[in-house]
Amino acid sequence: AVLHTRAIGSTLSMAGGDGSRQQRSQPRRDWESRTLHASGPRATTVDVVLLSEAYTRADHFFADADRATRSYFSARGATFFGVSALINVHAVYLRSAASKIGRGGPADTAFRCYR
């Protein structure tokens, strides 16, 4: 697996000395991405991205994402083995505070998914 750690933008509100408020963009460094299955350049492949909704630990998410990728793409007889040469799979981890998605409304998770 190839490991990439990137920063994404977030907004920080700051109070000025004169009582005014300013907003400034700050990089977030609380996420990580990995390429789990690489077949070729973006121009000739499809990129599939697995998101870490409701995961509170990166090691659990990447273990599950790797297991799913192997079961779908890597072994003969796997669901997408025949087209695996056309697909790249990436996993993106962003920590969630809650370990379950919401029911009827968003929970405190990275992507705020709910049923």
Side-chain angles (χ1 to χ4, degrees):
V2 178
L3 171 65
H4 300 284
T5 301
R6 299 185 180 111
I8 57 176
S10 65
T11 303
L12 173 68
S13 289
M14 300 176 59
D18 60 359
S20 66
R21 302 218 41 92
Q22 299 175 356
Q23 289 195 345
R24 182 176 69 148
S25 186
Q26 287 284 94
R28 288 179 56 172
R29 302 200 190 284
D30 57 353
W31 71 283
E32 177 180 327
S33 70
R34 296 181 186 178
T35 298
L36 303 177
H37 179 82
S39 295
R42 290 180 182 173
T44 60
T45 58
V46 173
D47 287 322
V48 174
V49 180
L50 306 174
L51 302 175
S52 65
E53 182 65 333
Y55 278 87
T56 58
R57 292 184 46 183
D59 58 333
H60 289 175
F61 168 67
F62 287 118
D64 286 349
D66 188 53
R67 187 171 23 290
T69 299
R70 281 186 281 118
S71 72
Y72 283 120
F73 299 99
S74 298
R76 281 205 190 283
T79 305
F80 299 106
F81 180 76
V83 293
S84 64
L86 304 172
I87 297 173
N88 297 321
V89 180
H90 311 281
V92 177
Y93 173 77
L94 179 61
R95 186 185 174 286
S96 290
S99 62
K100 294 184 179 179
I101 65 170
R103 290 191 177 251
D108 191 8
T109 58
F111 302 100
R112 314 239 335 123
C113 292
Y114 64 93
R115 299 179 217 199

